[in-house]
Amino acid sequence: MLNIKIEKTKDPKVLPGTDNPLKFGTIFTDHMFIMNYESGKGWYDPRVIPYQPLNLEPSAMVFHYGQEMFEGLKAYKTDEGRTLLFRPEKNIERANKTNRRICIPEIEEEDFLQAIKTIVKVDDAWIPTKEGTSLYIRPFIIATDPFLGVRPSDRYLFIIILSPVGAYYPEGLNPVKIWIEDEYVRAVKGGIGEAKTGANYVASMKSQVKAHEEGYSQVLWLDGIERRYIEEVGAMNIFFKINGKVVTPELNGSILPGVTRDSVLCLCREWGIPTEERKISIDEIYEASQSGTLEEVWGTGTAAVISPVGQLRWEQNIMQVQDGGIGPVSQKLYDTITGIQLGRIKEEHNWTVEV
Ligand SMILES: *Cc1c(COP(=O)(O)O)cnc(C)c1O
């Protein structure tokens, strides 16, 4: 149990109006959670303070060697005004897995959840209620030792900030166009691909820019060695429905284990849809698209939940999925998961946690 001190802002911001589109990640709430770490002392001084800039030395290790981790989850307002988190224990478990991989000290799971619930409660008024909106929660840890040598830091800051976000697709589920990257790679086995850390994103930017220039909104990564097996998309895991079967790449060490991915696999199995987690080559996808058995493609992630894919571009080949529309399984997954998140659908998994 943390003893969290709460210092409320004396200068509250004006809440965004109901007509504000809440563009993803642009608006921040009045408060933030922060806690320090020091070797020999452990995590200490957990507190909620007004949202404000950090005061760090330019020599802080995070700026030079990238020792940082982050998580992403959401809080939802139900029709009765309750606040729900979706499977937060999965994010917390994954946070500590990331921490172990990049030598950041772990945080007690109960303390982590308590910190999330506390900051969400303090900024409860910021949780938007319009259809499709939610409060995005961004916990992260940075290394703060003022030191220009390479080793794990002895000091860290754990921070949670909050951002009200709008519907990812204000006009409904819109299929995205995806660029299959064959020049750059994101991660290799033994690397940090399965850790949620900024370094994986900086590795992906060059390709993202290239894809945007070509008119594609996201990049699909192939494996770093043979450039032949499907890994994942930018910040989403990827699913294919081929000839009645739902397939997704197995967690091989270089893919981020998404909470949405896990939820989709679980629901498909419950619905009696055959599912497989295995290696999927790009040739298999190309052949399926040529033979007309590539029925649906969708990405999964906290931000968009389900993101239907309408087109894939691989070298000079353009693969169309279902005439660019939304498939029935993608739509049912989206409706079910968002229904559970909003407390509208009863479920036995206990996937929602009340704040
Ligand atoms: C966060 C993330 C995902 C999606 O994970 P969710 O838990 O479903 O939000 C997928 N890929 C990468 C690289 C990510 O960082």
Side-chain angles (χ1 to χ4, degrees), residues 41 61 117 174 215 229 268 288 299 317 325:
K41 194 166 173 183
M61 291 180 76
K117 285 185 174 179
N174 274 330
Y229 296 101
C268 285
N317 309 302

Side-chain angles (χ1 to χ4, degrees), residues 163 181 216 227 232-233 244 288 301 317 326 331:
S163 174
E181 179 58 64
Y216 289 78
R227 316 236 174 139
E232 62 175 309
V233 180
N317 309 302
I326 298 148
Q331 185 72 53

Side-chain angles (χ1 to χ4, degrees), residues 255-316:
I255 296 173
L256 204 287
V259 177
T260 322
R261 174 187 181 278
D262 184 80
S263 310
V264 161
L265 282 170
C266 183
L267 289 173
C268 285
R269 285 174 184 144
E270 284 174 14
W271 294 340
I273 301 172
T275 60
E276 288 175 355
E277 293 172 80
R278 60 170 171 82
K279 281 180 139 180
I280 305 162
S281 71
I282 182 60
D283 310 271
E284 176 182 349
I285 300 303
Y286 185 66
E287 277 156 31
S289 82
Q290 291 304 100
S291 66
T293 54
L294 185 61
E295 293 155 356
E296 292 184 47
V297 182
W298 66 85
T300 65
T302 296
V305 187
I306 300 291
S307 198
V309 175
Q311 193 199 97
L312 296 151
R313 158 100 178 252
W314 177 46
E315 294 168 350
Q316 293 319 308

